[in-house]
Amino acid sequence: MGGMPAAPASCPCGLPASYQDCCGRFHRGEASAPTAELLMRSRFTAFATGDTAYLLRTWHPTDRPARLDPDRRLRWTRLEILSSTGGSVIHTEGTVRFRAHYTERGRPGEVEEHSRFSRLDGQWVYAGVVQ
């Protein structure tokens, strides 16, 4: 996995579980995120741990980039889920509004986004930003 940081003990997504038992199982391919919110959390954790393969695998192919080059100066530190619509085990579409916190060169910052998710072949995928 060259260059990826070591897996954290507690999950960066903010849920009260270890990385191995929480988002790690999705990253390892042992399970698929059952809801849009859990996919959002697992994607945040993939940014935090440098798992670009998972990010690409869970991106809708319509607008998935050919490759990702994450900014190594950013350290993703905390995720806040602000709201969500749909996205449950019975839905085929959903949205999640979130705020992702980071530090860059010791300075805190945040990004807020309202993301769309859809099911593709039964799996939740990131489908872009709500316009």
Side-chain angles (χ1 to χ4, degrees), residues 6 21 26-27 35 42 79 89 91 99-100 112 114 116 121 124 129:
D21 294 337
F26 303 140
H27 294 178
T35 66
S42 69
L79 176 67
V89 294
H91 293 104
R99 185 177 299 127
E112 194 169 310
H114 194 187
R116 291 183 305 113
D121 299 325
W124 283 107
V129 177

Side-chain angles (χ1 to χ4, degrees), residues 1-10 12 19-20 45 48-50:
M1 306 249 184
M4 282 182 47
S10 62
Y19 167 77
Q20 294 301 327
T45 298
T49 60

Side-chain angles (χ1 to χ4, degrees), residues 107-118:
R107 292 193 176 134
E110 61 186 49
V111 174
E112 194 169 310
E113 185 177 302
H114 194 187
S115 297
R116 291 183 305 113
F117 297 89
S118 62

Side-chain angles (χ1 to χ4, degrees), residues 10-11 20 23 36 47 49 54 60 63 66 72 92 99 110 128:
S10 62
C11 198
Q20 294 301 327
C23 293
F47 274 105
T49 60
Y54 181 78
H60 197 285
D63 45 308
R72 305 267 180 230
T92 57
R99 185 177 299 127
E110 61 186 49

